Amino acid sequence: MIGCKIKEEDKKTIWHIISISESKFYKIYNKQHDWLVNHQRKFLSRMYPIGTRFDSSNYNPIQPWIGGVQMVALNFQTSDEAMLLNYAKFCGNGGITCGYLVKPPELRSENYNNKFKRSPKDIKNPVKKVTI
């Protein structure tokens, strides 16, 4: 994979990847949602926690997943709700030993109609009781 700048759309090939911080992702998601979804259809992206998370806390991974981010970097040294959500997302496909899922149909379709557009502020953390 080769890193590149977001604006270099015409120079990218399928193996290019952009790395964006969580704060930059939210700005793009809120202001340029259609562009972001189209970008995620063709290229790879990685989102990482902002550098001010000195306590190694995690952000809600559901929001970038909905935005089509393929690699959502989390702080694995912190056992929190975000890590449980990450584990649950990949459980159906081999758990943490897999780490791969097929993109949802709306990100693979050329006929995307923006019906899944949501603001990260509108997404509430899911509440699910787990019995062990």
Side-chain angles (χ1 to χ4, degrees), residues 44-56:
L44 295 173
S45 62
R46 172 189 170 266
M47 183 174 152
Y48 56 89
I50 55 174
T52 54
R53 288 186 180 272
F54 297 117
D55 60 351
S56 295

Side-chain angles (χ1 to χ4, degrees), residues 9-129:
E9 196 77 32
D10 57 333
K11 298 178 184 176
K12 292 182 191 174
T13 59
I14 58 170
W15 55 80
H16 279 97
I17 183 170
I18 59 166
S19 290
I20 54 177
S21 69
E22 60 182 292
S23 56
K24 190 167 189 174
F25 166 79
Y26 293 130
K27 286 178 189 173
I28 295 171
Y29 188 91
N30 288 325
K31 294 180 180 176
Q32 298 174 305
H33 181 78
D34 292 336
W35 177 87
L36 181 67
V37 170
N38 284 326
H39 181 274
Q40 308 299 31
R41 237 188 241 119
K42 301 173 191 169
F43 305 108
L44 295 173
S45 62
R46 172 189 170 266
M47 183 174 152
Y48 56 89
I50 55 174
T52 54
R53 288 186 180 272
F54 297 117
D55 60 351
S56 295
S57 60
N58 285 308
Y59 50 86
N60 183 350
I62 294 175
Q63 298 163 350
W65 289 333
I66 289 173
V69 176
Q70 293 91 356
M71 290 179 261
V72 178
L74 297 173
N75 293 309
F76 271 61
Q77 67 269 30
T78 305
S79 292
D80 58 4
E81 185 178 353
M83 288 303 298
L84 287 172
L85 289 168
N86 188 65
Y87 180 75
K89 181 171 180 71
F90 294 101
C91 248
N93 199 27
I96 58 172
T97 59
C98 173
Y100 173 79
L101 295 173
V102 176
K103 285 183 187 181
E106 46 289 343
L107 287 176
R108 289 181 278 144
S109 169
E110 291 297 323
N111 300 324
Y112 176 72
N113 63 8
N114 207 13
K115 68 180 177 179
F116 294 98
K117 181 176 178 180
R118 297 183 189 155
S119 167
K121 296 173 190 165
D122 296 337
I123 301 168
K124 305 292 182 209
N125 286 335
V127 177
K128 185 166 188 159
K129 293 183 181 181

Side-chain angles (χ1 to χ4, degrees), residues 128-132:
K128 185 166 188 159
K129 293 183 181 181
V130 178
T131 306
I132 299 175

